[in-house]
Structure formats: C-alpha cells, structure tokens
Amino acid sequence: MKEEAKHWMNRYVDAYMAVTRQINAQIRDNMAEGLTNDQFLILRLINSQDLCTSTFLAEAVAVGKSSITAIISRLVEAGFIDRTRDENDRRQVYLSLTEKGRSTYYTAEKQVQEVISPYFSHFAKQDIENFITMFEKLAFLMQERGGQSH
C-alpha cells in the first residue's frame, strides 16, 4: 500500500471510530422508549418502505436472517411493528409500524437530530453538503461493489 493511501486510511479509521463511538453513545443515552440503536435503525427502514420484508432489512443492515428475526420479534412484542401476510402468497410477510411504533420512531428521530445537529453549526453549509455527498458515495460503493473498481 502506498504511504499516502495508508496515511488516509489511518486518518479515516481514527476519525470514524471517534465519531461513531461518541455519536452512538449520545444517541443511546437519549433514545426514546429504551430503543437500541439497532431497533431505531429497523424502525427507520420499515418507515421508509411501503412493503417492507425481513429479507430487505437483513440486506440493508448486512446481518443474517436470524438476527433480524430476533430484532423483529422484540419489536412486535413491544407493540412497535405488525406482521402482515400477503393475501396472494401467505409465505410473504410484510412489516409495518403500529401507531405506537410510528410515534416512538418520530420521537427517537427528533432526539437523534438533537444529538447530531449541534455539530453541523461548526461547518459551512457547502462543507456539510460536500461531506454528506462523499459519505453517501462511500456508502454506495460499499453496498454495490465492495470498494472494487470496475
């Protein structure tokens, strides 16, 4: 690995670890209804999909079906989500937020914004836009190609 690339990688990993550790801790300490960060992410994903399935969730968060099933079961037991079978294909199960789930999700989302938004005040609007655009590109590359050039 070229020295410059190694330097960039080390800076990225150091910054990533510091940011995610701090943000995750602050979000966890302020999360509504005792939700975990993973549960919040699942509620967020279900809220964003019309016909959300456990397969979609497992792929979106890059975990196995058994892990997703366990999280979903806890959220169903807590009254945050419902399972609905497809009328034409009983094997297909769709997930949706209950009213309690929707209310909890929006409260948690507001709390996450309150944790993150103060940091944005330290940057120019264009810097924030550039950072998020590059971070989204990195996310896309990781999801689509695993970082490999094609």
Side-chain angles (χ1 to χ4, degrees):
M1 181 181 286
K2 287 173 36 181
E3 207 54 41
E4 184 178 45
K6 185 176 178 182
H7 176 71
W8 289 338
M9 184 196 65
N10 287 335
R11 286 177 57 199
Y12 170 79
V13 170
D14 290 347
Y16 169 81
M17 295 300 282
V19 168
T20 55
R21 201 170 28 246
Q22 283 295 316
I23 292 293
N24 286 340
Q26 289 178 41
I27 289 171
R28 186 177 53 249
D29 292 347
N30 291 287
M31 189 59 69
E33 301 279 338
L35 285 180
T36 67
N37 289 355
D38 286 345
Q39 289 171 333
F40 171 72
L41 176 60
I42 296 301
L43 293 180
R44 180 178 172 83
L45 289 166
I46 293 170
N47 187 62
S48 72
Q49 297 290 309
D50 287 335
L51 298 173
C52 187
T53 64
S54 59
T55 301
F56 167 79
L57 294 175
E59 290 171 0
V61 297
V63 299
K65 289 274 280 175
S66 60
S67 296
I68 283 297
T69 301
I71 294 171
I72 289 169
S73 294
R74 283 192 292 276
L75 290 170
V76 168
E77 289 169 17
F80 294 140
I81 63 175
D82 280 329
R83 291 182 178 115
T84 309
R85 294 204 177 271
D86 187 302
E87 292 178 18
N88 299 321
D89 181 356
R90 303 286 296 158
R91 296 169 297 175
Q92 188 69 270
V93 177
Y94 299 114
L95 306 166
S96 59
L97 298 183
T98 62
E99 280 305 314
K100 179 181 178 183
R102 191 171 288 103
S103 171
T104 300
Y105 166 69
Y106 287 125
T107 299
E109 182 181 53
K110 185 173 186 283
Q111 290 167 325
V112 168
Q113 289 173 357
E114 288 171 0
V115 166
I116 296 171
S117 63
Y119 296 103
F120 288 161
S121 67
H122 298 276
F123 301 94
K125 185 177 178 181
Q126 189 59 48
D127 290 340
I128 296 167
E129 183 64 37
N130 289 340
F131 170 75
I132 293 171
T133 299
M134 289 189 297
F135 207 64
E136 288 169 341
K137 182 176 181 179
L138 179 60
F140 172 79
L141 291 170
M142 289 181 167
Q143 290 172 334
E144 298 297 316
R145 303 188 231 178
Q148 302 301 312
S149 297
H150 290 320

